[in-house]
């Protein structure tokens, strides 16, 4: 389990250099990403639930027939 969390973190970090990014799910899955492994979550004001692997988070989105992940990095305002 811990190995998968570390791998997820590494992959999320690799694809999220700027602090926010959108990536096709298939790209992350090819790298070995597994969305079932996360350390915590955060719900925004729109009730979207971001799952986190340590400080790197992701939100699954469907656009037409394509599944994507919105990637974010943990911010101080997410504490409250």
């Amino acid at each position: 389990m811990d190995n998968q969390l570390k791998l997820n973190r590494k992959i999320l970090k690799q694809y999220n250099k700027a602090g926010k990014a959108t990536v096709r799910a298939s790209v992350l899955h090819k790298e070995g990403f597994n969305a079932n492994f996360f350390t915590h979550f955060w719900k925004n004001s729109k009730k979207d639930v971001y799952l986190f692997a340590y400080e790197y988070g992701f939100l699954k989105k469907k656009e037409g027939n394509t599944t994507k992940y919105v990637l974010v990095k943990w911010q101080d305002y997410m504490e409250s």
Side-chain angles (χ1 to χ4, degrees), residues 32-48:
F33 180 78
N34 183 335
N36 295 319
F37 291 83
F38 56 93
T39 54
H40 60 287
F41 66 91
W42 172 70
K43 191 185 290 188
N44 69 9
S45 57
K46 296 181 203 163
K47 306 287 188 239
D48 295 325

Side-chain angles (χ1 to χ4, degrees), residues 5-36:
L5 284 171
K6 286 177 182 170
L7 179 61
N8 281 359
R9 180 190 179 278
K10 180 181 165 194
I11 294 165
L12 292 171
K13 181 179 180 182
Q14 179 183 337
Y15 284 94
N16 186 7
K17 301 271 189 237
K20 186 169 186 186
T22 304
V23 182
R24 286 176 182 251
S26 59
V27 171
L28 298 184
H29 293 155
K30 261 186 235 162
E31 299 275 347
F33 180 78
N34 183 335
N36 295 319

Side-chain angles (χ1 to χ4, degrees), residues 15-80:
Y15 284 94
N16 186 7
K17 301 271 189 237
K20 186 169 186 186
T22 304
V23 182
R24 286 176 182 251
S26 59
V27 171
L28 298 184
H29 293 155
K30 261 186 235 162
E31 299 275 347
F33 180 78
N34 183 335
N36 295 319
F37 291 83
F38 56 93
T39 54
H40 60 287
F41 66 91
W42 172 70
K43 191 185 290 188
N44 69 9
S45 57
K46 296 181 203 163
K47 306 287 188 239
D48 295 325
V49 177
Y50 287 81
L51 303 176
F52 281 79
Y54 305 102
E55 75 273 35
Y56 291 95
F58 56 96
L59 172 69
K60 194 174 192 174
K61 285 263 189 211
K62 199 92 161 117
E63 285 182 18
N65 291 333
T66 308
T67 303
K68 296 181 178 184
Y69 287 109
V70 177
L71 309 183
V72 296
K73 192 168 181 192
W74 183 264
Q75 303 294 318
D76 288 341
Y77 72 83
M78 295 173 173
E79 293 287 345
S80 53

